[in-house]
Amino acid sequence: MLQVYLVRHGETEWNLARRIQGQSDSPLTEVGQHQAHLVAQRVKSENITHVITSDLGRTRQTAEIIAEACGCEVILEPRLREIHMGVLENRELDSLNQEEEIWRKSLVDGTPNGRIPKGESMNELSIRMRAALESCLDLPAGSRPLLVSHGMALVSLLNTILGLPANTERRLRLRNCSISRVDYQNSPWLASGWIIETAGDISHLNMPALDELN
């Protein structure tokens, strides 16, 4: 049974500022770096063989800290990027007008085909996220990969594993540096495919962690 760990990046400057990141970038705060070290301490005994990360700066910073503790190289995977937030990227949440706020919420409230102008839909996001996860099945036998990604990206992926549409109204809380684990089982007695073992675990953190939608 293949076990895949899923980690959201650490706290960023824009998380604190309530600013929409999407595929733009913001560095980790000191708290975010500390959160990443706590993840590293949590997983370094799990025999992680591959640390695979979104190529955005905040995930790369998080992944580098984890990879060093696990003795792995960092592998960049653009399919693990956050959703593109279109014309709202770089905007502060408090600056959005009513129409813009409707666009933003359409990504997480179950609106069919919700998207921000010039951005991605949750379904488009989930397709590339699922492809990145499925590629782990091609790793050598005995591999234990860890993927570093983003809040909305991971929510879209977990929704599809549950058999829900990617744009299902959000009911998962994935805080900064939370850990989830999904397993691929191939059993004659149980349904084959991906199952969720844990989601949004922050028991390794010694501080509050943010749950922003970007």
Side-chain angles (χ1 to χ4, degrees), residues 81 83 121-129 152-153 156:
R81 286 184 176 188
I83 191 169
S121 70
M122 290 292 279
N123 184 59
E124 290 166 339
L125 170 62
S126 70
I127 290 170
R128 60 176 170 82
M129 286 294 294
M152 293 180 70
S156 76

Side-chain angles (χ1 to χ4, degrees), residues 21-89:
Q21 294 175 117
Q23 293 185 4
S24 302
D25 237 330
S26 171
L28 299 185
T29 62
E30 288 187 10
V31 167
Q33 295 176 48
H34 181 58
Q35 290 169 334
H37 281 288
L38 292 174
V39 173
Q41 291 301 310
R42 168 77 177 272
V43 302
K44 72 176 183 179
S45 62
E46 298 294 341
N47 299 316
I48 300 299
T49 58
H50 299 76
V51 175
I52 304 169
T53 181
S54 155
D55 59 350
L56 299 180
R58 58 194 186 271
T59 40
R60 291 179 65 171
Q61 278 187 276
T62 304
E64 287 165 1
I65 291 169
I66 297 169
E68 182 178 5
C70 295
C72 300
E73 294 184 358
V74 172
I75 301 169
L76 301 183
E77 173 51 87
R79 291 178 294 187
L80 294 174
R81 286 184 176 188
E82 183 58 292
I83 191 169
H84 197 292
M85 299 290 280
V87 299
L88 298 187
E89 295 220 356

